[in-house]
Amino acid sequence: MIGVGKIKQYSNVLDKPLSKGKQEVSLSAFAFLFSELVQYNQTQVDNIAELERRLEDAGYAVGARVLELLCHRDKGNRRETRLLGILSFVHSTVWKVLFGKVADSLEKGTEHEDEYMISEKELLVNRFISIPKDMGTFNCGAFVAGIVRGVLDSAGFPAVVTAHFVPVEGQQRPRTTILIKFAEEVLLTFNPFIIANCILILDSPSAKGITHSLGFMS
Amino acid sequence: MAPVGPRSGDAIFANMERVNAELFTLTYGATVRQLLTDLEEVDEVNKQLDQMGYNIGIRLVDEFLAKSNVSRCVDFKETAEVIAKVGFKMFLGVTASVTNWDADGTCCSIVLEDNPLVDFVELPDTCQGLYYCNILSGVIRGALEMVSNTSSFAQPSIPSFLWDVSLKTEVTWIRDVLRGDDAYELQVKLVKQVPEEYPYKDDE
């Protein structure tokens, strides 16, 4: 039969060679699917906050997998263990793979030490979406916020991530800002005092085991 | 009869805006996972996926006709070919083939050579009844049902196939690699052709 020969069978999905990630589908196919995801979730909730939480959950699942996939394929099974490193990984590598471009900007919050923002003039998932008036500040970018949270959390940087519309002067459509607020322990890890302590420990004979666990935690 | 338009969707796909297939694959995976958590029953998930596909199909056909330049198909056979060669390519970037026609030309199989929905996927024992790609069957069913409705308000310059007939089909999975088969095969069975009623009312 036609086409049959082209599909190889593997007993286990892990035996299958990992794709190079160059394959593409039409933006429409994605937009249709995403729209169905949003519409389905709308039937499952009573309010906007819940809807955003559900979209974020869906995104989280994507983010966790994207981290694993990219670290394995592109980074030789290594991943970032520093805060700025992982942020720029999200802003450039992850964004480029998922959305075909580096995010428009990555900024540090001016008021709070633990806040960072990734902004995008026209977030891919919001391309074909307009929010009805009665849905207030709802932003489908919650899905992308979930992806970001999934990546950060799985890499050991727990954070609260939210998506917000920010009006831009002279533009009809607002841009979307993904606000990342790291959990307290993330910033503590980078407290110079603790890092100094770590270096001391690393000098000790049992350092190997500890570096291992540190690498895992940080 | 007028030519059916492009024999393959390669050129159209090249002109479509595209996204990384992995974003699509993982998003679909997240959707299925959410359905499994919410609905618990695998059968319900199959139904919901089919419904989502149907919703997509009835909207997707607009874009398909507008961008594909496909002219009117003379029969179901041609329609199936167009779906496999142009439709799948245009939206998913993969080609499918049409086989296993029955004698009266109302039932055939669409065989997928590649399927971007299933990368990274393995069905756990608890989900053996799941038709993971059931959204596809819904898309085909929905799109065929809307064929005529679309043509009624498409610009006259866009020739569309089967102007005044809505195709009711049943789409079922025959083979599924995730269930241990050697290919993805969808059976498309033409149940009836429903002539559309004119004139269209504005509120329809």
Side-chain angles (χ1 to χ4, degrees), chain A residues 1-4 6-14 16 18-30 32-37 39-41 44 54-55 57-59 61-62 65-66 69-70 73 96-99 124-125 127-128 143 147, chain B residues 13 16-24 26-28 30-31 33-35 38-39 48 51-53 55-56 59-60 63 67 90-94 97-100 111-114 116-122 135 175 177 180-185:
Chain A
M1 205 166 294
I2 309 169
V4 171
K6 290 196 182 169
I7 298 175
K8 276 216 193 85
Q9 272 202 298
Y10 297 95
S11 55
N12 186 316
V13 71
L14 296 175
K16 227 170 115 177
L18 202 56
S19 79
K20 292 266 192 303
K22 299 278 180 260
Q23 223 191 335
E24 290 181 312
V25 299
S26 69
L27 173 61
S28 320
F30 174 78
F32 278 127
L33 174 65
F34 186 68
S35 131
E36 283 305 313
L37 176 69
Q39 288 180 61
Y40 163 75
N41 275 306
Q44 301 291 306
R54 286 185 59 103
L55 282 179
D57 283 350
V62 175
R65 284 161 180 80
V66 163
L69 177 68
L70 295 185
R73 187 171 55 201
K96 192 135 206 290
V97 167
L98 292 182
F99 308 124
L124 186 95
V125 300
R127 270 286 285 283
F128 303 110
F143 180 72
I147 295 181
Chain B
F13 183 64
M16 298 280 283
E17 260 190 277
R18 297 179 302 272
V19 293
N20 182 343
E22 276 163 359
L23 173 67
F24 179 72
L26 292 173
T27 303
Y28 185 65
T31 311
R33 209 167 324 106
Q34 217 169 37
L35 292 179
D38 293 347
L39 307 172
Q48 181 65 35
Q51 181 61 44
M52 287 173 149
N55 298 343
I56 292 176
R59 294 170 65 194
L60 167 144
E63 186 175 355
K67 292 187 180 166
M90 178 170 161
F91 289 102
L92 296 181
V94 298
S97 46
V98 185
T99 62
N100 293 350
V111 177
L112 274 182
E113 291 161 21
D114 195 6
L117 289 177
V118 300
D119 262 351
F120 320 122
V121 177
E122 191 168 67
I135 200 161
R175 287 184 291 164
V177 177
D181 299 321
D182 54 357
Y184 296 92
E185 178 176 348

Side-chain angles (χ1 to χ4, degrees), chain B residues 72-91:
Chain B
R72 185 175 177 156
C73 289
V74 290
D75 55 12
F76 186 53
K77 236 172 179 159
E78 221 164 69
T79 313
E81 283 291 336
V82 166
I83 292 173
K85 295 273 156 26
V86 187
F88 271 93
K89 185 76 202 181
M90 178 170 161
F91 289 102

Side-chain angles (χ1 to χ4, degrees), chain B residues 36-82:
Chain B
L36 282 166
T37 318
D38 293 347
L39 307 172
E40 288 167 12
E41 293 295 320
V42 169
D43 287 342
E44 290 300 311
V45 176
N46 287 340
K47 246 185 253 167
Q48 181 65 35
L49 284 174
D50 182 73
Q51 181 61 44
M52 287 173 149
Y54 180 82
N55 298 343
I56 292 176
I58 56 181
R59 294 170 65 194
L60 167 144
V61 76
D62 280 342
E63 186 175 355
F64 176 79
L65 292 174
K67 292 187 180 166
S68 69
N69 265 329
V70 164
S71 44
R72 185 175 177 156
C73 289
V74 290
D75 55 12
F76 186 53
K77 236 172 179 159
E78 221 164 69
T79 313
E81 283 291 336
V82 166

Side-chain angles (χ1 to χ4, degrees), chain A residues 82-88 90 106-109 112-118 148-149 151-153 155-162 179-190:
Chain A
R82 288 168 309 126
L83 185 76
L84 287 179
I86 194 78
L87 278 171
S88 93
V90 170
L106 168 65
E107 291 161 282
K108 192 173 195 313
H112 302 277
E113 275 295 300
D114 56 351
E115 287 185 354
Y116 290 83
M117 291 167 297
I118 294 177
V148 172
R149 189 168 69 89
V151 172
L152 293 176
D153 203 22
F157 296 88
V160 176
V161 187
T162 43
L179 180 66
I180 303 164
K181 192 178 175 59
F182 283 105
E184 217 175 319
E185 67 260 33
V186 173
L187 291 162
L188 280 179
T189 318
F190 297 94

